[in-house]
Coordinates of all heavy atoms in Angstrom, one line a residue:
M10 N 18.1 45.3 22.1 CA 18.6 44.5 23.1 C 19.6 43.5 22.5 O 19.3 42.8 21.5 CB 17.5 43.8 23.9 CG 18.0 43.0 25.0 SD 16.6 42.5 26.0 CE 17.3 41.3 27.0
K11 N 20.8 43.3 23.1 CA 21.8 42.4 22.6 C 21.4 40.9 23.0 O 20.9 40.7 24.1 CB 23.1 42.7 23.2 CG 23.7 44.0 22.7 CD 25.1 44.3 23.2 CE 25.5 45.6 22.7 NZ 26.9 45.9 23.0
K12 N 21.6 40.0 22.0 CA 21.3 38.6 22.3 C 22.4 38.0 23.1 O 23.6 38.4 22.9 CB 20.9 37.9 21.1 CG 22.0 37.9 20.0 CD 21.6 37.1 18.8 CE 22.6 37.2 17.7 NZ 22.2 36.5 16.5
S13 N 22.2 37.0 23.8 CA 23.2 36.3 24.6 C 24.0 35.4 23.6 O 23.4 34.8 22.7 CB 22.7 35.5 25.8 OG 22.0 34.4 25.3
V14 N 25.2 35.2 23.9 CA 26.1 34.4 23.1 C 26.7 33.3 24.0 O 27.3 33.6 25.1 CB 27.2 35.2 22.5 CG1 28.1 34.3 21.6 CG2 26.7 36.3 21.7
S15 N 26.6 32.1 23.7 CA 27.2 31.0 24.5 C 28.6 30.7 24.0 O 28.8 30.3 22.9 CB 26.3 29.7 24.3 OG 26.9 28.7 25.0
L16 N 29.6 31.0 24.9 CA 31.0 30.8 24.5 C 31.5 29.6 25.4 O 31.1 29.5 26.5 CB 31.8 32.1 24.8 CG 31.3 33.3 24.0 CD1 32.1 34.5 24.4 CD2 31.5 33.0 22.5
S17 N 32.4 28.9 24.9 CA 32.9 27.7 25.5 C 34.4 27.6 25.6 O 35.1 28.0 24.6 CB 32.4 26.5 24.8 OG 33.1 25.3 25.0
V18 N 34.9 27.0 26.7 CA 36.4 26.8 26.8 C 36.8 25.7 25.8 O 37.8 25.8 25.1 CB 36.7 26.3 28.2 CG1 38.2 25.9 28.3 CG2 36.5 27.5 29.2
G19 N 35.9 24.7 25.6 CA 36.2 23.5 24.8 C 36.3 23.9 23.3 O 37.1 23.3 22.5
R20 N 35.6 24.9 22.9 CA 35.7 25.4 21.5 C 36.8 26.4 21.2 O 36.9 26.9 20.2 CB 34.3 25.9 21.0 CG 33.2 24.9 20.8 CD 32.0 25.5 20.2 NE 31.5 26.6 20.9 CZ 30.4 26.6 21.7 NH1 29.7 25.5 21.8 NH2 30.0 27.7 22.2
G21 N 37.5 26.7 22.3 CA 38.6 27.7 22.2 C 38.2 29.1 22.2 O 38.9 30.0 21.8
E22 N 37.0 29.4 22.7 CA 36.5 30.8 22.8 C 36.8 31.5 24.1 O 36.8 32.7 24.2 CB 35.0 30.8 22.5 CG 34.7 30.3 21.1 CD 33.3 29.7 20.9 OE1 32.6 29.5 21.9 OE2 32.9 29.6 19.8
K23 N 37.0 30.7 25.1 CA 37.4 31.2 26.4 C 38.6 30.5 26.9 O 38.8 29.3 26.6 CB 36.3 31.0 27.5 CG 35.0 31.7 27.2 CD 34.0 31.7 28.4 CE 33.6 30.4 28.9 NZ 32.5 30.5 29.9
L24 N 39.4 31.2 27.7 CA 40.6 30.6 28.3 C 40.1 29.9 29.6 O 39.3 30.4 30.3 CB 41.7 31.6 28.7 CG 42.4 32.2 27.5 CD1 43.3 33.3 28.0 CD2 43.2 31.2 26.8
P25 N 40.7 28.7 29.9 CA 40.4 28.1 31.2 C 41.0 29.0 32.4 O 41.8 29.8 32.2 CB 41.1 26.8 31.2 CG 42.2 26.9 30.1 CD 41.7 28.0 29.2
V26 N 40.4 28.7 33.6 CA 40.9 29.5 34.7 C 42.4 29.4 34.9 O 43.0 30.3 35.3 CB 40.1 29.1 36.0 CG1 40.6 29.7 37.2 CG2 38.6 29.4 35.8
S27 N 42.9 28.2 34.7 CA 44.3 28.0 34.9 C 45.2 28.8 34.0 O 46.4 29.1 34.3 CB 44.7 26.5 34.6 OG 44.4 26.1 33.3
K28 N 44.7 29.3 32.9 CA 45.4 30.2 32.0 C 45.0 31.6 32.0 O 45.3 32.4 31.1 CB 45.3 29.6 30.5 CG 46.0 28.3 30.3 CD 46.0 27.9 28.9 CE 46.8 26.6 28.8 NZ 46.8 26.1 27.4
G29 N 44.2 32.0 33.0 CA 43.9 33.4 33.2 C 42.5 33.8 32.9 O 42.2 35.0 32.9
A30 N 41.6 32.8 32.5 CA 40.2 33.1 32.2 C 40.2 34.1 31.0 O 41.1 34.3 30.3 CB 39.5 33.6 33.4
G31 N 39.0 34.7 30.8 CA 38.9 35.7 29.7 C 38.6 35.1 28.4 O 38.6 33.9 28.2
L32 N 38.3 35.9 27.4 CA 38.0 35.4 26.0 C 39.3 35.4 25.2 O 40.2 36.2 25.4 CB 37.0 36.4 25.4 CG 35.6 36.5 26.0 CD1 34.8 37.5 25.2 CD2 35.0 35.1 26.0
T33 N 39.3 34.5 24.2 CA 40.4 34.4 23.3 C 40.0 35.3 22.1 O 38.9 35.9 22.0 CB 40.6 33.0 22.7 OG1 39.4 32.6 22.1 CG2 40.9 32.0 23.9
A34 N 40.9 35.5 21.1 CA 40.6 36.3 19.9 C 39.4 35.7 19.2 O 38.5 36.4 18.7 CB 41.8 36.3 19.0
K35 N 39.3 34.3 19.1 CA 38.2 33.7 18.5 C 36.9 34.0 19.2 O 35.8 34.2 18.6 CB 38.4 32.1 18.5 CG 37.4 31.3 17.9 CD 37.7 29.8 17.9 CE 36.6 29.0 17.3 NZ 37.0 27.5 17.4
G36 N 36.9 34.0 20.6 CA 35.7 34.3 21.4 C 35.3 35.7 21.2 O 34.1 36.0 21.1
R37 N 36.2 36.6 21.2 CA 35.9 38.1 21.0 C 35.3 38.3 19.6 O 34.3 39.0 19.5 CB 37.1 38.9 21.1 CG 37.6 39.1 22.6 CD 38.6 40.2 22.7 NE 39.8 40.0 21.9 CZ 40.8 39.2 22.3 NH1 40.8 38.6 23.4 NH2 41.9 39.1 21.5
A38 N 35.8 37.6 18.6 CA 35.3 37.7 17.2 C 33.9 37.2 17.2 O 33.0 37.8 16.6 CB 36.2 37.0 16.2
R39 N 33.6 36.0 17.8 CA 32.3 35.5 17.8 C 31.3 36.4 18.5 O 30.2 36.6 18.0 CB 32.3 34.1 18.4 CG 30.9 33.4 18.4 CD 31.0 32.0 18.8 NE 29.6 31.6 18.8 CZ 29.2 30.4 19.3 NH1 30.1 29.5 19.7 NH2 27.9 30.1 19.3
Y40 N 31.7 36.9 19.7 CA 30.8 37.7 20.4 C 30.5 39.0 19.7 O 29.4 39.5 19.6 CB 31.4 38.1 21.8 CG 30.5 38.9 22.7 CD1 29.6 38.2 23.5 CD2 30.6 40.3 22.7 CE1 28.7 39.0 24.3 CE2 29.7 41.0 23.5 CZ 28.8 40.3 24.3 OH 28.0 41.1 25.1
N41 N 31.6 39.6 19.1 CA 31.4 40.9 18.4 C 30.5 40.7 17.1 O 29.6 41.5 16.9 CB 32.7 41.4 17.9 CG 33.5 42.0 19.1 OD1 33.0 42.3 20.1 ND2 34.8 42.1 18.9
N42 N 30.6 39.6 16.4 CA 29.8 39.3 15.3 C 28.3 39.1 15.7 O 27.4 39.6 15.0 CB 30.3 38.1 14.5 CG 31.6 38.4 13.7 OD1 31.9 39.5 13.4 ND2 32.3 37.3 13.5
A43 N 28.1 38.4 16.8 CA 26.8 38.1 17.2 C 26.0 39.3 17.8 O 24.8 39.4 17.6 CB 26.8 37.0 18.2
T44 N 26.7 40.2 18.4 CA 26.1 41.3 19.1 C 26.3 42.7 18.6 O 25.7 43.6 19.0 CB 26.5 41.3 20.6 OG1 27.9 41.6 20.7 CG2 26.2 40.0 21.3
G45 N 27.3 42.8 17.7 CA 27.6 44.1 17.1 C 28.5 44.9 18.1 O 28.6 46.1 17.9
S46 N 29.1 44.3 19.0 CA 29.9 44.9 20.0 C 31.3 45.1 19.4 O 31.6 44.8 18.3 CB 30.1 44.1 21.3 OG 28.8 44.0 21.9
N47 N 32.2 45.7 20.2 CA 33.6 45.9 19.8 C 34.5 45.6 20.9 O 35.3 46.4 21.4 CB 33.8 47.3 19.3 CG 35.2 47.5 18.7 OD1 35.8 46.6 18.3 ND2 35.7 48.8 18.7
L48 N 34.5 44.3 21.4 CA 35.4 43.9 22.5 C 36.8 43.9 22.0 O 37.1 43.5 20.9 CB 35.0 42.5 23.0 CG 33.7 42.3 23.7 CD1 33.5 40.9 24.1 CD2 33.6 43.2 24.9
K49 N 37.7 44.4 22.9 CA 39.1 44.4 22.5 C 39.9 43.5 23.4 O 39.4 43.0 24.4 CB 39.6 45.9 22.7 CG 38.9 46.8 21.8 CD 39.4 48.2 22.0 CE 38.8 49.1 21.0 NZ 38.1 50.3 21.6
A50 N 41.1 43.2 23.0 CA 42.0 42.3 23.7 C 42.4 43.0 25.1 O 42.3 44.2 25.2 CB 43.3 42.1 22.9
P51 N 42.8 42.1 26.1 CA 43.2 42.7 27.4 C 44.4 43.7 27.2 O 45.1 43.6 26.3 CB 43.6 41.5 28.1 CG 43.0 40.3 27.5 CD 42.8 40.7 26.0
A52 N 44.4 44.6 28.1 CA 45.5 45.6 28.1 C 46.2 45.6 29.5 O 46.2 46.5 30.2 CB 44.9 47.0 27.8
P53 N 47.0 44.5 29.8 CA 47.6 44.4 31.1 C 48.8 45.4 31.2 O 49.1 45.9 32.3 CB 48.2 43.0 31.2 CG 48.2 42.5 29.8 CD 47.2 43.3 29.0
S54 N 49.4 45.8 30.1 CA 50.5 46.8 30.0 C 50.1 47.9 29.0 O 50.6 47.9 27.9 CB 51.8 46.2 29.6 OG 52.1 45.1 30.5
P55 N 49.2 48.8 29.4 CA 48.6 49.8 28.4 C 49.7 50.7 27.9 O 50.6 51.1 28.6 CB 47.6 50.5 29.2 CG 47.9 50.3 30.7 CD 48.6 49.0 30.7
K56 N 49.6 50.9 26.6 CA 50.5 51.8 25.9 C 49.9 53.2 25.6 O 50.6 54.2 25.5 CB 51.0 51.2 24.6 CG 51.8 49.9 24.8 CD 52.1 49.2 23.6 CE 53.0 47.9 23.8 NZ 52.4 47.0 24.7
T57 N 48.6 53.3 25.5 CA 48.0 54.6 25.3 C 47.1 55.0 26.5 O 46.8 54.2 27.3 CB 47.0 54.4 24.0 OG1 46.0 53.6 24.4 CG2 47.8 53.9 22.8
S58 N 46.8 56.2 26.5 CA 45.9 56.7 27.6 C 44.6 56.1 27.6 O 43.9 55.9 28.6 CB 45.9 58.2 27.6 OG 45.3 58.7 26.4
A59 N 44.1 55.8 26.4 CA 42.8 55.1 26.3 C 42.8 53.7 26.9 O 41.9 53.3 27.6 CB 42.3 55.1 24.8
D60 N 43.9 53.0 26.6 CA 44.1 51.7 27.2 C 44.2 51.8 28.7 O 43.8 50.9 29.4 CB 45.3 51.0 26.6 CG 44.9 50.3 25.2 OD1 43.7 50.3 24.9 OD2 45.9 49.9 24.5
K61 N 44.9 52.8 29.2 CA 45.0 53.0 30.7 C 43.7 53.2 31.3 O 43.4 52.6 32.3 CB 45.9 54.2 31.0 CG 47.4 53.9 30.7 CD 48.2 55.2 31.0 CE 49.7 54.9 30.5 NZ 50.5 56.1 30.5
G62 N 42.8 54.0 30.7 CA 41.5 54.2 31.2 C 40.6 52.9 31.1 O 39.9 52.6 32.1
R63 N 40.8 52.1 30.1 CA 40.1 50.9 29.9 C 40.5 49.9 30.9 O 39.7 49.2 31.5 CB 40.3 50.3 28.5 CG 39.4 49.2 28.1 CD 39.5 49.0 26.5 NE 40.8 48.6 26.0 CZ 41.1 47.3 25.9 NH1 40.3 46.4 26.3 NH2 42.3 47.0 25.5
K64 N 41.8 49.8 31.2 CA 42.3 48.9 32.3 C 41.8 49.3 33.6 O 41.3 48.5 34.4 CB 43.8 48.9 32.3 CG 44.4 48.0 33.4 CD 45.9 48.0 33.4 CE 46.4 47.1 34.6 NZ 47.8 47.0 34.7
A65 N 41.8 50.6 33.9 CA 41.3 51.1 35.2 C 39.8 50.7 35.4 O 39.4 50.3 36.5 CB 41.5 52.6 35.4
S66 N 39.1 50.9 34.3 CA 37.6 50.6 34.4 C 37.4 49.1 34.6 O 36.6 48.7 35.4 CB 37.0 51.1 33.1 OG 35.6 50.8 33.0
F67 N 38.1 48.3 33.8 CA 38.0 46.9 33.9 C 38.3 46.4 35.3 O 37.6 45.6 35.9 CB 38.9 46.1 32.9 CG 38.9 44.7 33.1 CD1 37.9 43.9 32.5 CD2 39.8 44.0 33.9 CE1 37.8 42.5 32.7 CE2 39.8 42.7 34.0 CZ 38.8 41.9 33.4
C68 N 39.4 46.9 35.9 CA 39.9 46.4 37.2 C 38.8 46.8 38.3 O 38.6 46.0 39.2 CB 41.2 47.0 37.5 SG 42.6 46.4 36.5
A69 N 38.2 48.0 38.1 CA 37.2 48.4 39.1 C 36.0 47.6 39.0 O 35.4 47.1 40.0 CB 36.9 49.9 38.9
R70 N 35.5 47.3 37.8 CA 34.3 46.5 37.6 C 34.5 45.1 38.0 O 33.7 44.5 38.7 CB 33.9 46.5 36.1 CG 33.2 47.8 35.6 CD 32.6 47.6 34.2 NE 33.3 46.7 33.4 CZ 34.2 47.1 32.5 NH1 34.5 48.3 32.3 NH2 34.8 46.2 31.7
M71 N 35.6 44.5 37.5 CA 35.8 43.1 37.8 C 36.2 42.8 39.3 O 35.9 41.8 39.8 CB 36.9 42.5 36.9 CG 37.0 41.0 36.8 SD 35.4 40.2 36.4 CE 35.2 40.7 34.7
G72 N 36.8 43.8 39.9 CA 37.1 43.7 41.3 C 35.9 43.5 42.1 O 35.8 42.7 43.1
A73 N 34.8 44.3 41.8 CA 33.6 44.2 42.5 C 32.9 42.8 42.2 O 32.3 42.2 43.1 CB 32.6 45.3 42.0
V74 N 33.0 42.3 41.0 CA 32.5 41.0 40.6 C 33.2 39.9 41.5 O 32.5 39.1 42.0 CB 32.6 40.7 39.1 CG1 32.3 39.3 38.8 CG2 31.8 41.6 38.3
A75 N 34.5 40.0 41.5 CA 35.3 39.0 42.2 C 34.9 39.0 43.7 O 34.9 37.9 44.4 CB 36.8 39.2 42.0
A76 N 34.7 40.2 44.3 CA 34.5 40.3 45.7 C 33.1 39.8 46.0 O 32.8 39.3 47.1 CB 34.6 41.8 46.1
N77 N 32.1 40.0 45.1 CA 30.7 39.7 45.5 C 30.2 38.4 44.9 O 29.1 37.9 45.3 CB 29.8 40.8 44.9 CG 30.1 42.1 45.7 OD1 30.3 42.1 46.9 ND2 30.1 43.2 44.9
A78 N 31.0 37.7 44.1 CA 30.5 36.4 43.5 C 30.7 35.3 44.5 O 31.7 35.3 45.3 CB 31.3 36.1 42.2
K79 N 29.8 34.3 44.5 CA 30.0 33.2 45.4 C 31.3 32.4 45.1 O 32.0 32.1 46.0 CB 28.8 32.2 45.2 CG 27.6 32.6 45.9 CD 26.5 31.5 45.7 CE 25.2 31.9 46.4 NZ 24.2 30.9 46.2
N80 N 31.5 32.2 43.8 CA 32.7 31.5 43.4 C 33.4 32.3 42.3 O 33.1 32.1 41.1 CB 32.4 30.1 42.9 CG 33.6 29.3 42.6 OD1 34.8 29.8 42.7 ND2 33.5 28.1 42.1
G81 N 34.2 33.3 42.6 CA 34.7 34.2 41.6 C 36.0 33.8 41.0 O 36.9 34.6 40.8
E82 N 36.2 32.5 40.8 CA 37.4 32.0 40.2 C 37.8 32.7 38.9 O 38.9 33.1 38.7 CB 37.3 30.5 39.9 CG 37.5 29.6 41.0 CD 37.4 28.1 40.6 OE1 38.3 27.7 39.8 OE2 36.5 27.4 41.0
R83 N 36.9 32.7 38.0 CA 37.2 33.3 36.6 C 37.5 34.8 36.8 O 38.4 35.3 36.1 CB 36.0 33.1 35.7 CG 35.8 31.6 35.3 CD 34.8 31.4 34.2 NE 35.3 32.0 32.9 CZ 36.3 31.4 32.1 NH1 36.7 30.2 32.4 NH2 36.7 32.0 31.0
A84 N 36.7 35.5 37.6 CA 36.9 36.9 37.8 C 38.3 37.2 38.4 O 39.1 38.0 38.0 CB 35.9 37.5 38.7
K85 N 38.7 36.4 39.4 CA 40.0 36.5 40.0 C 41.1 36.2 39.1 O 42.2 36.9 39.0 CB 40.1 35.7 41.3 CG 39.2 36.2 42.4 CD 39.2 35.2 43.6 CE 38.3 35.7 44.6 NZ 38.0 34.7 45.7
A86 N 40.9 35.2 38.2 CA 42.0 34.8 37.3 C 42.1 35.9 36.2 O 43.2 36.2 35.8 CB 41.6 33.5 36.6
S87 N 41.0 36.5 35.8 CA 41.1 37.6 34.8 C 41.8 38.8 35.4 O 42.5 39.5 34.7 CB 39.7 37.9 34.2 OG 38.9 38.4 35.2
L88 N 41.5 39.1 36.7 CA 42.2 40.3 37.3 C 43.7 40.0 37.3 O 44.5 41.0 37.1 CB 41.6 40.4 38.7 CG 40.3 41.1 38.9 CD1 39.8 40.9 40.3 CD2 40.3 42.5 38.5
K89 N 44.1 38.8 37.6 CA 45.5 38.5 37.6 C 46.1 38.7 36.2 O 47.2 39.2 36.0 CB 45.7 37.1 38.1 CG 47.1 36.7 38.3 CD 47.2 35.3 39.0 CE 48.7 34.9 39.1 NZ 48.8 33.6 39.7
R90 N 45.4 38.2 35.2 CA 45.8 38.3 33.8 C 46.0 39.8 33.4 O 46.9 40.1 32.6 CB 44.9 37.6 32.9 CG 45.3 37.5 31.5 CD 44.5 36.6 30.7 NE 44.8 36.6 29.3 CZ 44.0 36.7 28.3 NH1 42.7 36.8 28.5 NH2 44.4 36.8 27.1
W91 N 45.1 40.6 33.8 CA 45.2 42.0 33.5 C 46.2 42.8 34.4 O 46.4 44.0 34.2 CB 43.8 42.7 33.7 CG 42.9 42.5 32.5 CD1 42.3 41.4 32.0 CD2 42.4 43.6 31.6 NE1 41.5 41.7 30.9 CE2 41.6 43.0 30.7 CE3 42.6 45.0 31.6 CZ2 40.9 43.7 29.7 CZ3 42.0 45.7 30.6 CH2 41.2 45.1 29.7
K92 N 46.8 42.1 35.4 CA 47.7 42.7 36.3 C 47.0 43.8 37.1 O 47.6 44.9 37.3 CB 48.9 43.2 35.6 CG 49.7 42.2 34.9 CD 50.9 42.7 34.1 CE 51.6 41.6 33.3 NZ 52.6 42.2 32.4
C93 N 45.8 43.6 37.6 CA 45.1 44.5 38.5 C 45.6 44.5 39.9 O 45.9 43.5 40.4 CB 43.6 44.3 38.4 SG 42.9 44.6 36.8

């Protein structure tokens, strides 16, 4: 089971909602080191077919989060950043 990682806007690991939410490179590196994951940078303009699939998957998942969350500010901001 993966352990939870506490990431913060103040430490520069997450972008604030005003800048599109989501994780920064520093935040992705910290999360990947702590959990053994392989999070990648956003792909708003995918160049490969793998990135196109990743974008479609992200937009579908995050769209549901934004629609069902009480206050989906971060989800909506990340959808905008990914150009969904």
Side-chain angles (χ1 to χ4, degrees):
M10 183 170 168
K11 293 183 180 187
K12 59 183 174 179
S13 70
V14 180
S15 177
L16 300 173
S17 160
V18 172
R20 289 190 303 258
E22 297 158 344
K23 295 193 302 189
L24 290 173
V26 173
S27 62
K28 293 190 178 177
L32 297 178
T33 63
K35 180 180 177 181
R37 285 190 304 274
R39 180 168 176 190
Y40 185 85
N41 288 340
N42 288 338
T44 63
S46 295
N47 185 22
L48 292 180
K49 296 179 176 127
S54 304
K56 293 173 180 57
T57 66
S58 61
D60 280 349
K61 286 178 188 171
R63 193 163 64 88
K64 178 180 178 178
S66 176
F67 174 84
C68 292
R70 283 191 327 265
M71 195 56 67
V74 169
N77 295 320
K79 280 185 182 176
N80 183 4
E82 281 182 60
R83 292 191 67 78
K85 289 174 186 169
S87 64
L88 284 169
K89 187 175 178 181
R90 183 168 175 230
W91 276 67
K92 300 177 185 172
C93 292

